Amino acid sequence: MNNKGFSLIELIIVVAIMAVLLMIIAPQYFKYVEKSRNATDLQNARAVVDAIEIYATDPDSGFPPPDYWQAVTAFAVDDKADRPDGMHGGAYGGAMKGDTRVDDYAWYAMQEAGLIPASGRPVGIRAQSKYAWETWTVEYKSDGKGGIMFRFGERAGEPVTGDKFREAMTGK
């Protein structure tokens, strides 16, 4: 006999081997995707920090850095449902999924750095991570000596000690 096809047993064995390989490879793939998202979040936060520092040292900026804590907060998901007024709120670009809240000082600093378009919409800095943190916050204020102090948190208004984002930003 001159059979040129595969038997059913051979096909089942090949499919089983492929399923086992997929079960081994898929979790690793998703882990690397999440690591990439976390790296993007950290890079975005570092870009915000750099923009504020550069703006604060620019004598032509016209604004002194604030002497009280202000925050730039990026959201991975739309927070409209969590707000009592049902609005997106704050001085930031509105988008349906993933907004960045920015106060006036950071707004000008981020525009100068090219992180926010002149039109102000949309804001391109968003939290990307699905698991490490839902939001990230960079808070800053003047130290009164010509410098700026920063602290990092996962959610606006929450304590900024001991969280994954702060530890990642400080390299711990």
Side-chain angles (χ1 to χ4, degrees):
M1 256 193 203
N2 191 6
N3 292 337
K4 293 186 179 184
F6 295 106
S7 71
L8 182 59
I9 300 283
E10 291 171 328
L11 287 175
I12 290 173
I13 290 172
V14 168
V15 169
I17 291 171
M18 290 177 61
V20 168
L21 288 174
L22 186 62
M23 287 175 21
I24 293 170
I25 294 172
Q28 293 298 319
Y29 170 76
F30 290 119
K31 183 175 102 178
Y32 289 123
V33 168
E34 185 60 19
K35 284 174 88 174
S36 173
R37 289 177 177 151
N38 290 344
T40 300
D41 286 349
L42 292 175
Q43 186 62 36
N44 285 340
R46 287 187 181 113
V48 169
V49 168
D50 290 345
I52 292 170
E53 286 179 330
I54 291 169
Y55 191 72
T57 59
D58 182 7
D60 297 328
S61 68
F63 296 101
D67 58 356
Y68 50 90
W69 290 106
Q70 297 194 79
V72 177
T73 303
F75 293 88
V77 295
D78 185 17
D79 68 326
K80 184 176 178 181
D82 297 331
R83 295 180 52 83
D85 57 7
M87 300 299 288
H88 291 285
Y92 65 98
M96 289 308 291
K97 295 280 186 194
D99 295 327
T100 301
R101 293 185 183 181
V102 183
D103 61 80
D104 289 340
Y105 190 83
W107 186 264
Y108 292 120
M110 291 169 71
Q111 275 190 335
E112 286 286 321
L115 301 175
I116 297 177
S119 67
R121 294 197 191 319
V123 175
I125 296 179
R126 299 180 180 159
Q128 301 292 322
S129 176
K130 302 284 187 208
Y131 306 109
W133 46 76
E134 289 181 16
T135 65
W136 53 262
T137 302
V138 175
E139 295 181 321
Y140 62 94
K141 75 172 186 172
S142 171
D143 65 1
K145 302 173 191 168
I148 293 192
M149 297 180 296
F150 292 91
R151 61 187 187 182
F152 309 96
E154 288 190 33
R155 288 182 168 78
E158 290 189 2
V160 292
T161 57
D163 63 85
K164 295 175 189 175
F165 187 75
R166 181 184 60 81
E167 291 166 4
M169 282 295 294
T170 57
K172 293 183 180 179

